[in-house]
Amino acid sequence: MSPGERRATLVVGNWKMNGSRAANAPLLAALRASAPFPGGVAVCVPAPYLGEVAAALQGSAIAWGAQDCSSHDSGAFTGEVSAAMLAEFACRYVIVGHSERRALHGESDGLVAEKAARALAAGVTPIVCVGETLAEREAGETSAVVARQLGAAIARLGDRIGDTVIAYEPVWAIGTGKTASPAEAEAVHALLRTRLATLSPRAAAVSILYGGSVKPDNAASLFGQPNIDGGLIGGASLNAEHFAAICKAAA
Ligand code: 13P
C-alpha cells in the first residue's frame, strides 16, 4: 500500500435468518457493552428488526445494515425491500450477492451488480460477496470465478467500486467449520486487490473482508494477513462474547 493510503478495518456480523425480538435485545446490549473496538463494527440483520436494532445501537460505535436489497427502485415487486427503504432506517451497509442468495435464489453476477448500484444510489454501502464453490476450487477455477464476480461489479459501478466493501467468502468454508487457511485466503485477497489496484487508487483502498467459519481462535491469524481487512461473520456473530472477541482481533 502506498503511503497515505489507508484501508478501513471492518468486522460485520451477518445474522442470516436468525434472531427474535427476545434474543436480539440482550445480544445487542452485550455487544454495546463490549465497545470500544479497534476498527469498524456492524451487524447485518433481518429486515423486520431494522427499526429496533437502529434504536438499540443509536449513538454507539456499532453500525447496522441489511442482508439484501432489491435491484429495483420501487413498484410491483412483492416481498422485495428497496435500498431507499434501508436508508430510511439509517443502514450503513447492505450485503449483496451472498453465496446463499446466489445458490438458493439464482442471483446472477449482473443482478448482484445492479443491487450494489441501487445501494450506492441510496447512500448505503454495498458489501459485495464473491467466492468459489468446492467444485470450482478443486477444478482450479478459484481465480477465474472471483475475477468474474468482481468484474461484473466493476463493469456496472465503474469508479464507484471505490465506495464498496468486498467480501471474499469461499462457499466451502461457510457454516462448515472449515476455514480457509490464512495463506489460502490471503492468496485470493491479493488477487482481488491487484484487480482493484489496476483501476484507480480509490479502488485500491477498498476494504476486502474474509468470511467463512471465522471464530475467536482463528480471527487474529486471518486478519493479520496483509490484504485481509476484517471479516464477515455468520454463526459466531450470534454470540456476543464470540463476536466481540473477533471484533477485537481486527486491530
Ligand atoms: P459462518 O461464519 O457461519 O461460516 O458464515 C459466514 C458467512 O456466510 C457470513 O456471511
Side-chain angles (χ1 to χ4, degrees):
M1 213 178 339
S2 57
E5 182 191 315
R6 274 218 114 130
R7 296 195 305 265
T9 304
L10 179 64
V11 177
V12 179
N14 174 9
W15 287 7
K16 307 194 180 183
M17 199 172 74
N18 293 295
S20 67
R21 299 183 80 183
N24 300 346
L27 173 59
L28 294 167
L31 202 54
R32 248 190 113 131
S34 306
F37 301 107
V41 171
V43 288
C44 288
V45 306
Y49 297 140
L50 281 170
E52 63 196 48
V53 169
L57 295 179
Q58 196 75 48
S60 79
I62 305 159
W64 56 92
Q67 301 170 9
D68 185 35
C69 69
S70 177
S71 60
H72 302 279
D73 280 334
S74 65
F77 302 102
T78 302
E80 295 265 85
V81 173
S82 74
M85 292 170 188
L86 301 181
E88 282 197 287
F89 285 90
C91 285
R92 190 172 307 163
Y93 300 103
V94 59
I95 297 169
V96 296
H98 191 280
S99 64
E100 286 150 16
R101 295 211 60 88
R102 290 178 188 263
L104 304 173
H105 301 270
E107 295 197 2
S108 66
D109 295 338
L111 182 77
V112 171
E114 196 56 42
K115 290 180 174 198
R118 297 294 157 158
L120 285 172
V124 180
T125 300
I127 300 173
V128 182
C129 299
V130 302
E132 82 288 3
T133 62
L134 184 59
E136 288 164 341
R137 173 160 281 258
E138 287 176 345
E141 293 167 357
T142 300
S143 307
V145 169
V146 299
R148 187 199 75 220
Q149 292 169 332
L150 178 65
I154 292 169
R156 175 66 182 85
L157 304 178
D159 197 43
R160 290 218 71 192
I161 195 78
D163 298 316
T164 70
V165 171
I166 307 296
Y168 169 56
E169 298 204 306
V171 178
W172 48 272
I174 294 177
T176 57
K178 253 196 236 169
T179 322
S181 71
E184 279 172 330
E186 170 60 20
V188 179
H189 281 236
L191 189 145
L192 293 168
R193 175 83 54 219
T194 303
R195 190 147 177 129
L196 288 165
T198 54
L199 290 177
S200 74
R202 278 187 66 236
V206 165
S207 297
I208 308 179
L209 315 183
Y210 169 79
S213 298
V214 179
K215 307 290 176 203
D217 63 358
N218 61 22
S221 59
L222 286 159
F223 300 165
Q225 299 299 307
N227 288 293
I228 299 184
D229 305 313
L232 184 53
I233 317 303
S237 73
L238 300 170
N239 177 308
E241 196 186 320
H242 291 181
F243 188 56
I246 293 169
C247 293
K248 289 189 178 183

